[in-house]
PDB file of all heavy atoms in Angstrom:
ATOM      1  N   GLU H  12      19.733   7.177  -1.466  1.00  0.00           N
ATOM      2  CA  GLU H  12      20.407   7.423  -2.736  1.00  0.00           C
ATOM      3  C   GLU H  12      21.522   6.411  -2.965  1.00  0.00           C
ATOM      4  O   GLU H  12      22.119   5.876  -2.029  1.00  0.00           O
ATOM      5  CB  GLU H  12      20.973   8.834  -2.783  1.00  0.00           C
ATOM      6  CG  GLU H  12      22.056   9.118  -1.789  1.00  0.00           C
ATOM      7  CD  GLU H  12      22.646  10.499  -2.010  1.00  0.00           C
ATOM      8  OE1 GLU H  12      22.102  11.465  -1.465  1.00  0.00           O
ATOM      9  OE2 GLU H  12      23.662  10.570  -2.730  1.00  0.00           O
ATOM     10  N   ARG H  13      21.782   6.173  -4.275  1.00  0.00           N
ATOM     11  CA  ARG H  13      22.828   5.225  -4.651  1.00  0.00           C
ATOM     12  C   ARG H  13      23.472   5.727  -5.932  1.00  0.00           C
ATOM     13  O   ARG H  13      22.785   6.110  -6.877  1.00  0.00           O
ATOM     14  CB  ARG H  13      22.200   3.839  -4.866  1.00  0.00           C
ATOM     15  CG  ARG H  13      23.182   2.755  -5.287  1.00  0.00           C
ATOM     16  CD  ARG H  13      22.563   1.360  -5.054  1.00  0.00           C
ATOM     17  NE  ARG H  13      21.228   1.255  -5.627  1.00  0.00           N
ATOM     18  CZ  ARG H  13      20.977   0.813  -6.871  1.00  0.00           C
ATOM     19  NH1 ARG H  13      21.982   0.465  -7.659  1.00  0.00           N
ATOM     20  NH2 ARG H  13      19.731   0.714  -7.315  1.00  0.00           N
ATOM     21  N   GLU H  14      24.803   5.767  -5.965  1.00  0.00           N
ATOM     22  CA  GLU H  14      25.513   6.273  -7.138  1.00  0.00           C
ATOM     23  C   GLU H  14      25.694   5.158  -8.165  1.00  0.00           C
ATOM     24  O   GLU H  14      26.181   4.074  -7.840  1.00  0.00           O
ATOM     25  CB  GLU H  14      26.878   6.843  -6.729  1.00  0.00           C
ATOM     26  CG  GLU H  14      27.546   7.606  -7.857  1.00  0.00           C
ATOM     27  CD  GLU H  14      28.666   8.503  -7.364  1.00  0.00           C
ATOM     28  OE1 GLU H  14      28.513   9.119  -6.280  1.00  0.00           O
ATOM     29  OE2 GLU H  14      29.694   8.584  -8.065  1.00  0.00           O
ATOM     30  N   VAL H  15      25.289   5.450  -9.416  1.00  0.00           N
ATOM     31  CA  VAL H  15      25.384   4.472 -10.494  1.00  0.00           C
ATOM     32  C   VAL H  15      25.928   5.153 -11.739  1.00  0.00           C
ATOM     33  O   VAL H  15      25.930   6.376 -11.859  1.00  0.00           O
ATOM     34  CB  VAL H  15      24.009   3.840 -10.815  1.00  0.00           C
ATOM     35  CG1 VAL H  15      23.436   3.124  -9.612  1.00  0.00           C
ATOM     36  CG2 VAL H  15      23.029   4.906 -11.334  1.00  0.00           C
ATOM     37  N   SER H  16      26.402   4.355 -12.685  1.00  0.00           N
ATOM     38  CA  SER H  16      26.811   4.879 -13.981  1.00  0.00           C
ATOM     39  C   SER H  16      25.580   5.386 -14.726  1.00  0.00           C
ATOM     40  O   SER H  16      24.490   4.817 -14.602  1.00  0.00           O
ATOM     41  CB  SER H  16      27.498   3.781 -14.793  1.00  0.00           C
ATOM     42  OG  SER H  16      27.625   4.169 -16.148  1.00  0.00           O
ATOM     43  N   ILE H  17      25.746   6.433 -15.514  1.00  0.00           N
ATOM     44  CA  ILE H  17      24.588   6.971 -16.245  1.00  0.00           C
ATOM     45  C   ILE H  17      24.033   5.952 -17.234  1.00  0.00           C
ATOM     46  O   ILE H  17      22.865   6.025 -17.613  1.00  0.00           O
ATOM     47  CB  ILE H  17      24.924   8.292 -16.977  1.00  0.00           C
ATOM     48  CG1 ILE H  17      26.024   8.077 -18.026  1.00  0.00           C
ATOM     49  CG2 ILE H  17      25.291   9.382 -16.019  1.00  0.00           C
ATOM     50  CD1 ILE H  17      26.148   9.216 -19.006  1.00  0.00           C
ATOM     51  N   ASP H  18      24.865   4.998 -17.657  1.00  0.00           N
ATOM     52  CA  ASP H  18      24.386   3.965 -18.580  1.00  0.00           C
ATOM     53  C   ASP H  18      23.371   3.034 -17.918  1.00  0.00           C
ATOM     54  O   ASP H  18      22.641   2.319 -18.609  1.00  0.00           O
ATOM     55  CB  ASP H  18      25.558   3.138 -19.109  1.00  0.00           C
ATOM     56  CG  ASP H  18      26.521   3.976 -19.943  1.00  0.00           C
ATOM     57  OD1 ASP H  18      26.036   4.916 -20.604  1.00  0.00           O
ATOM     58  OD2 ASP H  18      27.725   3.702 -19.920  1.00  0.00           O
ATOM     59  N   GLN H  19      23.327   3.036 -16.585  1.00  0.00           N
ATOM     60  CA  GLN H  19      22.390   2.180 -15.861  1.00  0.00           C
ATOM     61  C   GLN H  19      21.041   2.858 -15.612  1.00  0.00           C
ATOM     62  O   GLN H  19      20.117   2.216 -15.132  1.00  0.00           O
ATOM     63  CB  GLN H  19      22.998   1.765 -14.513  1.00  0.00           C
ATOM     64  CG  GLN H  19      24.228   0.871 -14.645  1.00  0.00           C
ATOM     65  CD  GLN H  19      24.823   0.526 -13.297  1.00  0.00           C
ATOM     66  OE1 GLN H  19      25.772   1.136 -12.827  1.00  0.00           O
ATOM     67  NE2 GLN H  19      24.223  -0.450 -12.630  1.00  0.00           N
ATOM     68  N   LEU H  20      20.945   4.146 -15.920  1.00  0.00           N
ATOM     69  CA  LEU H  20      19.687   4.853 -15.695  1.00  0.00           C
ATOM     70  C   LEU H  20      18.609   4.347 -16.639  1.00  0.00           C
ATOM     71  O   LEU H  20      18.866   4.080 -17.816  1.00  0.00           O
ATOM     72  CB  LEU H  20      19.880   6.359 -15.896  1.00  0.00           C
ATOM     73  CG  LEU H  20      20.761   7.096 -14.881  1.00  0.00           C
ATOM     74  CD1 LEU H  20      20.883   8.560 -15.263  1.00  0.00           C
ATOM     75  CD2 LEU H  20      20.178   6.962 -13.475  1.00  0.00           C
ATOM     76  N   ARG H  21      17.390   4.249 -16.124  1.00  0.00           N
ATOM     77  CA  ARG H  21      16.243   3.833 -16.917  1.00  0.00           C
ATOM     78  C   ARG H  21      15.177   4.928 -16.871  1.00  0.00           C
ATOM     79  O   ARG H  21      15.087   5.682 -15.895  1.00  0.00           O
ATOM     80  CB  ARG H  21      15.655   2.519 -16.379  1.00  0.00           C
ATOM     81  CG  ARG H  21      16.628   1.341 -16.425  1.00  0.00           C
ATOM     82  CD  ARG H  21      16.922   0.929 -17.866  1.00  0.00           C
ATOM     83  NE  ARG H  21      17.853  -0.191 -17.940  1.00  0.00           N
ATOM     84  CZ  ARG H  21      19.159  -0.042 -18.110  1.00  0.00           C
ATOM     85  NH1 ARG H  21      19.689   1.179 -18.213  1.00  0.00           N
ATOM     86  NH2 ARG H  21      19.957  -1.095 -18.182  1.00  0.00           N
ATOM     87  N   VAL H  22      14.383   4.994 -17.924  1.00  0.00           N
ATOM     88  CA  VAL H  22      13.298   5.973 -17.964  1.00  0.00           C
ATOM     89  C   VAL H  22      12.378   5.740 -16.767  1.00  0.00           C
ATOM     90  O   VAL H  22      11.964   4.618 -16.496  1.00  0.00           O
ATOM     91  CB  VAL H  22      12.504   5.868 -19.279  1.00  0.00           C
ATOM     92  CG1 VAL H  22      11.295   6.793 -19.259  1.00  0.00           C
ATOM     93  CG2 VAL H  22      13.410   6.195 -20.465  1.00  0.00           C
ATOM     94  N   GLY H  23      12.078   6.818 -16.049  1.00  0.00           N
ATOM     95  CA  GLY H  23      11.229   6.727 -14.864  1.00  0.00           C
ATOM     96  C   GLY H  23      12.000   6.740 -13.556  1.00  0.00           C
ATOM     97  O   GLY H  23      11.422   6.968 -12.492  1.00  0.00           O
ATOM     98  N   ASP H  24      13.328   6.489 -13.604  1.00  0.00           N
ATOM     99  CA  ASP H  24      14.139   6.576 -12.386  1.00  0.00           C
ATOM    100  C   ASP H  24      14.119   7.999 -11.839  1.00  0.00           C
ATOM    101  O   ASP H  24      13.961   8.968 -12.589  1.00  0.00           O
ATOM    102  CB  ASP H  24      15.592   6.179 -12.685  1.00  0.00           C
ATOM    103  CG  ASP H  24      15.778   4.675 -12.828  1.00  0.00           C
ATOM    104  OD1 ASP H  24      14.831   3.944 -12.479  1.00  0.00           O
ATOM    105  OD2 ASP H  24      16.851   4.243 -13.281  1.00  0.00           O
ATOM    106  N   TRP H  25      14.330   8.109 -10.518  1.00  0.00           N
ATOM    107  CA  TRP H  25      14.466   9.412  -9.881  1.00  0.00           C
ATOM    108  C   TRP H  25      15.941   9.664  -9.608  1.00  0.00           C
ATOM    109  O   TRP H  25      16.639   8.806  -9.044  1.00  0.00           O
ATOM    110  CB  TRP H  25      13.672   9.471  -8.571  1.00  0.00           C
ATOM    111  CG  TRP H  25      12.190   9.524  -8.769  1.00  0.00           C
ATOM    112  CD1 TRP H  25      11.503   9.322  -9.918  1.00  0.00           C
ATOM    113  CD2 TRP H  25      11.214   9.796  -7.764  1.00  0.00           C
ATOM    114  NE1 TRP H  25      10.157   9.437  -9.714  1.00  0.00           N
ATOM    115  CE2 TRP H  25       9.943   9.740  -8.385  1.00  0.00           C
ATOM    116  CE3 TRP H  25      11.271  10.069  -6.402  1.00  0.00           C
ATOM    117  CZ2 TRP H  25       8.757   9.952  -7.700  1.00  0.00           C
ATOM    118  CZ3 TRP H  25      10.100  10.289  -5.700  1.00  0.00           C
ATOM    119  CH2 TRP H  25       8.843  10.235  -6.350  1.00  0.00           C
ATOM    120  N   VAL H  26      16.411  10.840  -9.984  1.00  0.00           N
ATOM    121  CA  VAL H  26      17.820  11.198  -9.821  1.00  0.00           C
ATOM    122  C   VAL H  26      17.919  12.448  -8.956  1.00  0.00           C
ATOM    123  O   VAL H  26      17.199  13.431  -9.184  1.00  0.00           O
ATOM    124  CB  VAL H  26      18.479  11.454 -11.198  1.00  0.00           C
ATOM    125  CG1 VAL H  26      19.878  12.015 -11.029  1.00  0.00           C
ATOM    126  CG2 VAL H  26      18.529  10.169 -12.008  1.00  0.00           C
ATOM    127  N   LEU H  27      18.812  12.408  -7.979  1.00  0.00           N
ATOM    128  CA  LEU H  27      19.041  13.547  -7.095  1.00  0.00           C
ATOM    129  C   LEU H  27      20.262  14.324  -7.568  1.00  0.00           C
ATOM    130  O   LEU H  27      21.320  13.743  -7.809  1.00  0.00           O
ATOM    131  CB  LEU H  27      19.271  13.063  -5.657  1.00  0.00           C
ATOM    132  CG  LEU H  27      19.634  14.128  -4.618  1.00  0.00           C
ATOM    133  CD1 LEU H  27      18.496  15.120  -4.453  1.00  0.00           C
ATOM    134  CD2 LEU H  27      19.977  13.479  -3.286  1.00  0.00           C
ATOM    135  N   VAL H  28      20.114  15.636  -7.722  1.00  0.00           N
ATOM    136  CA  VAL H  28      21.221  16.510  -8.124  1.00  0.00           C
ATOM    137  C   VAL H  28      21.402  17.581  -7.061  1.00  0.00           C
ATOM    138  O   VAL H  28      20.486  18.363  -6.795  1.00  0.00           O
ATOM    139  CB  VAL H  28      20.957  17.164  -9.497  1.00  0.00           C
ATOM    140  CG1 VAL H  28      22.164  18.010  -9.913  1.00  0.00           C
ATOM    141  CG2 VAL H  28      20.673  16.111 -10.559  1.00  0.00           C
ATOM    142  N   LYS H  29      22.576  17.602  -6.449  1.00  0.00           N
ATOM    143  CA  LYS H  29      22.857  18.550  -5.371  1.00  0.00           C
ATOM    144  C   LYS H  29      23.360  19.880  -5.940  1.00  0.00           C
ATOM    145  O   LYS H  29      23.724  19.973  -7.113  1.00  0.00           O
ATOM    146  CB  LYS H  29      23.891  17.945  -4.420  1.00  0.00           C
ATOM    147  CG  LYS H  29      23.395  16.706  -3.697  1.00  0.00           C
ATOM    148  CD  LYS H  29      24.455  16.189  -2.739  1.00  0.00           C
ATOM    149  CE  LYS H  29      23.955  14.946  -2.012  1.00  0.00           C
ATOM    150  NZ  LYS H  29      24.951  14.428  -1.041  1.00  0.00           N
ATOM    151  N   PRO H  30      23.414  20.919  -5.089  1.00  0.00           N
ATOM    152  CA  PRO H  30      23.909  22.229  -5.559  1.00  0.00           C
ATOM    153  C   PRO H  30      25.312  22.131  -6.142  1.00  0.00           C
ATOM    154  O   PRO H  30      26.197  21.460  -5.588  1.00  0.00           O
ATOM    155  CB  PRO H  30      23.902  23.068  -4.278  1.00  0.00           C
ATOM    156  CG  PRO H  30      22.848  22.456  -3.429  1.00  0.00           C
ATOM    157  CD  PRO H  30      22.932  20.985  -3.703  1.00  0.00           C
ATOM    158  N   GLY H  31      25.515  22.793  -7.290  1.00  0.00           N
ATOM    159  CA  GLY H  31      26.824  22.837  -7.928  1.00  0.00           C
ATOM    160  C   GLY H  31      27.195  21.607  -8.710  1.00  0.00           C
ATOM    161  O   GLY H  31      28.290  21.545  -9.276  1.00  0.00           O
ATOM    162  N   GLU H  32      26.306  20.621  -8.796  1.00  0.00           N
ATOM    163  CA  GLU H  32      26.611  19.393  -9.523  1.00  0.00           C
ATOM    164  C   GLU H  32      26.080  19.443 -10.951  1.00  0.00           C
ATOM    165  O   GLU H  32      25.175  20.214 -11.274  1.00  0.00           O
ATOM    166  CB  GLU H  32      26.023  18.174  -8.808  1.00  0.00           C
ATOM    167  CG  GLU H  32      26.727  17.839  -7.512  1.00  0.00           C
ATOM    168  CD  GLU H  32      26.233  16.525  -6.925  1.00  0.00           C
ATOM    169  OE1 GLU H  32      25.087  16.116  -7.220  1.00  0.00           O
ATOM    170  OE2 GLU H  32      26.992  15.909  -6.175  1.00  0.00           O
ATOM    171  N   GLN H  33      26.646  18.562 -11.756  1.00  0.00           N
ATOM    172  CA  GLN H  33      26.200  18.436 -13.139  1.00  0.00           C
ATOM    173  C   GLN H  33      24.942  17.583 -13.203  1.00  0.00           C
ATOM    174  O   GLN H  33      24.832  16.575 -12.507  1.00  0.00           O
ATOM    175  CB  GLN H  33      27.318  17.790 -13.950  1.00  0.00           C
ATOM    176  CG  GLN H  33      27.141  17.865 -15.456  1.00  0.00           C
ATOM    177  CD  GLN H  33      28.298  17.195 -16.163  1.00  0.00           C
ATOM    178  OE1 GLN H  33      28.809  16.180 -15.699  1.00  0.00           O
ATOM    179  NE2 GLN H  33      28.716  17.755 -17.272  1.00  0.00           N
ATOM    180  N   ILE H  34      23.996  17.998 -14.028  1.00  0.00           N
ATOM    181  CA  ILE H  34      22.773  17.210 -14.214  1.00  0.00           C
ATOM    182  C   ILE H  34      23.094  16.066 -15.176  1.00  0.00           C
ATOM    183  O   ILE H  34      23.567  16.300 -16.289  1.00  0.00           O
ATOM    184  CB  ILE H  34      21.636  18.095 -14.748  1.00  0.00           C
ATOM    185  CG1 ILE H  34      21.253  19.126 -13.671  1.00  0.00           C
ATOM    186  CG2 ILE H  34      20.427  17.262 -15.142  1.00  0.00           C
ATOM    187  CD1 ILE H  34      20.232  20.139 -14.122  1.00  0.00           C
ATOM    188  N   PRO H  35      22.865  14.816 -14.767  1.00  0.00           N
ATOM    189  CA  PRO H  35      23.341  13.673 -15.552  1.00  0.00           C
ATOM    190  C   PRO H  35      22.381  13.155 -16.611  1.00  0.00           C
ATOM    191  O   PRO H  35      22.723  12.249 -17.360  1.00  0.00           O
ATOM    192  CB  PRO H  35      23.561  12.602 -14.478  1.00  0.00           C
ATOM    193  CG  PRO H  35      22.511  12.897 -13.457  1.00  0.00           C
ATOM    194  CD  PRO H  35      22.335  14.395 -13.457  1.00  0.00           C
ATOM    195  N   THR H  36      21.153  13.677 -16.677  1.00  0.00           N
ATOM    196  CA  THR H  36      20.149  13.074 -17.550  1.00  0.00           C
ATOM    197  C   THR H  36      19.156  14.111 -18.047  1.00  0.00           C
ATOM    198  O   THR H  36      18.961  15.157 -17.413  1.00  0.00           O
ATOM    199  CB  THR H  36      19.382  11.969 -16.792  1.00  0.00           C
ATOM    200  OG1 THR H  36      18.429  11.361 -17.665  1.00  0.00           O
ATOM    201  CG2 THR H  36      18.664  12.530 -15.588  1.00  0.00           C
ATOM    202  N   ASP H  37      18.541  13.852 -19.192  1.00  0.00           N
ATOM    203  CA  ASP H  37      17.385  14.625 -19.624  1.00  0.00           C
ATOM    204  C   ASP H  37      16.194  14.178 -18.789  1.00  0.00           C
ATOM    205  O   ASP H  37      15.937  12.968 -18.676  1.00  0.00           O
ATOM    206  CB  ASP H  37      17.075  14.370 -21.103  1.00  0.00           C
ATOM    207  CG  ASP H  37      18.008  15.125 -22.026  1.00  0.00           C
ATOM    208  OD1 ASP H  37      19.003  15.681 -21.528  1.00  0.00           O
ATOM    209  OD2 ASP H  37      17.749  15.152 -23.242  1.00  0.00           O
ATOM    210  N   GLY H  38      15.485  15.114 -18.219  1.00  0.00           N
ATOM    211  CA  GLY H  38      14.359  14.712 -17.387  1.00  0.00           C
ATOM    212  C   GLY H  38      13.479  15.884 -17.001  1.00  0.00           C
ATOM    213  O   GLY H  38      13.625  17.002 -17.517  1.00  0.00           O
ATOM    214  N   THR H  39      12.570  15.607 -16.065  1.00  0.00           N
ATOM    215  CA  THR H  39      11.616  16.607 -15.578  1.00  0.00           C
ATOM    216  C   THR H  39      11.777  16.752 -14.071  1.00  0.00           C
ATOM    217  O   THR H  39      11.865  15.749 -13.355  1.00  0.00           O
ATOM    218  CB  THR H  39      10.175  16.184 -15.914  1.00  0.00           C
ATOM    219  OG1 THR H  39      10.060  16.007 -17.324  1.00  0.00           O
ATOM    220  CG2 THR H  39       9.181  17.236 -15.444  1.00  0.00           C
ATOM    221  N   VAL H  40      11.822  17.994 -13.606  1.00  0.00           N
ATOM    222  CA  VAL H  40      11.934  18.252 -12.170  1.00  0.00           C
ATOM    223  C   VAL H  40      10.631  17.838 -11.489  1.00  0.00           C
ATOM    224  O   VAL H  40       9.548  18.301 -11.868  1.00  0.00           O
ATOM    225  CB  VAL H  40      12.225  19.738 -11.894  1.00  0.00           C
ATOM    226  CG1 VAL H  40      12.281  19.995 -10.382  1.00  0.00           C
ATOM    227  CG2 VAL H  40      13.525  20.164 -12.553  1.00  0.00           C
ATOM    228  N   ILE H  41      10.709  16.950 -10.488  1.00  0.00           N
ATOM    229  CA  ILE H  41       9.511  16.534  -9.758  1.00  0.00           C
ATOM    230  C   ILE H  41       9.496  17.087  -8.331  1.00  0.00           C
ATOM    231  O   ILE H  41       8.465  17.066  -7.665  1.00  0.00           O
ATOM    232  CB  ILE H  41       9.367  14.997  -9.727  1.00  0.00           C
ATOM    233  CG1 ILE H  41      10.606  14.344  -9.114  1.00  0.00           C
ATOM    234  CG2 ILE H  41       9.115  14.458 -11.107  1.00  0.00           C
ATOM    235  CD1 ILE H  41      10.461  12.839  -8.960  1.00  0.00           C
TER     236      ILE H  41
END
């Protein structure tokens, strides 16, 4: 994992969200 600004996210990227954290993007749980 690597922490980046949400402005750097691209469609198709995988994002990890831990318990109690804010979800940073619109997406689908895989």
Side-chain angles (χ1 to χ4, degrees):
E12 65 174 87
R13 179 163 50 92
E14 190 163 321
V15 300
S16 167
I17 62 165
D18 296 327
Q19 294 178 263
L20 293 178
R21 299 292 180 265
V22 174
D24 284 348
W25 288 11
V26 172
L27 175 63
V28 183
K29 296 182 180 181
E32 289 187 335
Q33 193 180 37
I34 294 175
T36 182
D37 282 10
T39 302
V40 178
I41 57 175

